[in-house]
Amino acid sequence: MTRLILASQSPARTKLLSHAGIRHEVLVSDVDEDAVQARYGVTDPHDTALLLARAKAEAVASLPEADGAIVIGCDSVFEFDGEAHGKPYTADVARERMLRMSGSMGVLHTGHWLVDCRDTDGEDTDGGDTDAADDGGGVSTRGTGATLGSVSSAEVHFMEMSAGEIETYIATGEPLQCAGSFTIDGYGGAFIRKVDGDPHTVVGLSISTLRALLGQANVGITELWTGGAVDPADVRAE
């Protein structure tokens, strides 16, 4: 059975995987994001998202608990007016950002980094067809040693927000721990007019990007399906 480890403490990411019926474990990385950026001097939002995703994935991949698993690390960076915006942490920073974002548009970059920690001497249950994971002919337990990444980006268009709405939103505490000072799957969804691109990217993990990375490690995403994806009828009924 293929094990997938999410190297993130984000409740939104693990909820997203669970709703998609993707079996996974969570191991939180102990990565100092500021130190990583200072070390490499990366300022481009796109590259920063990938750099931090890689740092998280590789930190977790180095743990004994990751042996025999595939690790996926993710990090999101919001680009607005050419600047990279991570988590605001304070109300003052969130307020300043949201006043500028009101009625405007930015780009949310989510970096994904995959590390294959499986034994490269493993076996394929179909008798050695290394493409088994792609065509459904069997399940591969052989590691590829892959360490690779990708960035998924989406434009986020905001509605006009009043000063009162911004203050009430900040008071919920939701935007303080989110890249760009907003979410799409919480209170912040009320202020997003549209998304051009994969909406999962804005949540913090693109399922289609994950599928593509797994494919490069000879793992089909259906191997990770639990049969426990959310029933659309239940979602509509909520």
Side-chain angles (χ1 to χ4, degrees):
M1 180 181 294
T2 303
R3 294 171 56 217
L4 177 69
I5 294 176
L6 174 64
S8 172
Q9 63 182 349
S10 165
R13 290 189 179 108
T14 192
K15 181 179 179 181
L16 181 62
L17 289 175
S18 297
H19 278 194
I22 297 174
R23 182 181 64 253
H24 67 287
E25 308 163 32
V26 175
L27 272 179
V28 179
S29 64
D30 185 19
V31 170
D32 185 332
E33 297 184 12
D34 291 337
V36 171
Q37 293 182 74
R39 176 182 178 185
Y40 290 95
V42 177
T43 56
D44 177 82
H46 175 283
D47 293 345
T48 297
L50 189 61
L51 173 69
L52 294 177
R54 179 173 186 171
K56 292 177 180 180
E58 291 183 342
V60 168
S62 68
L63 300 175
E65 298 92 328
D67 286 350
I70 288 179
V71 177
I72 183 72
C74 298
D75 194 86
S76 297
V77 177
F78 185 63
E79 180 178 0
F80 185 76
D81 283 348
E83 300 175 359
H85 288 179
K87 300 172 184 177
Y89 296 115
T90 69
D92 287 342
V93 174
R95 181 181 302 108
E96 185 273 334
R97 290 180 180 179
M98 295 182 70
L99 286 170
R100 292 170 57 201
M101 288 156 45
S102 177
S104 191
M105 178 273 290
V107 180
L108 197 289
H109 303 283
T110 292
H112 306 70
W113 197 272
L114 180 146
V115 181
D116 189 348
C117 302
R118 296 173 300 166
D119 187 348
T120 55
D121 293 326
E123 298 179 352
D124 297 319
T125 60
D126 69 337
D129 180 3
T130 57
D131 294 325
D134 295 325
D135 62 17
V139 176
S140 173
T141 61
R142 180 181 301 155
T144 61
T147 174
L148 45 93
S150 181
V151 177
S152 177
S153 303
E155 290 185 355
V156 184
H157 298 255
F158 298 96
M159 302 179 71
E160 295 280 352
M161 294 175 272
S162 69
E165 287 175 323
I166 290 174
E167 291 302 324
T168 302
Y169 183 41
I170 291 173
T172 68
E174 181 182 273
L176 303 185
Q177 298 295 324
C178 300
S181 312
F182 69 93
T183 67
I184 192 174
D185 56 337
Y187 293 119
F191 308 124
I192 296 176
R193 182 168 61 84
K194 70 173 182 175
V195 172
D196 288 335
D198 182 352
H200 288 160
T201 294
V202 185
V203 179
L205 193 160
S206 166
I207 300 295
S208 58
T209 299
L210 173 61
R211 173 181 176 270
L213 292 174
L214 287 170
Q216 293 182 65
N218 292 333
V219 175
I221 198 166
T222 56
E223 294 178 38
L224 301 171
W225 283 358
T226 64
V230 172
D231 187 332
D234 291 339
V235 174
R236 288 194 295 270
E238 290 180 353

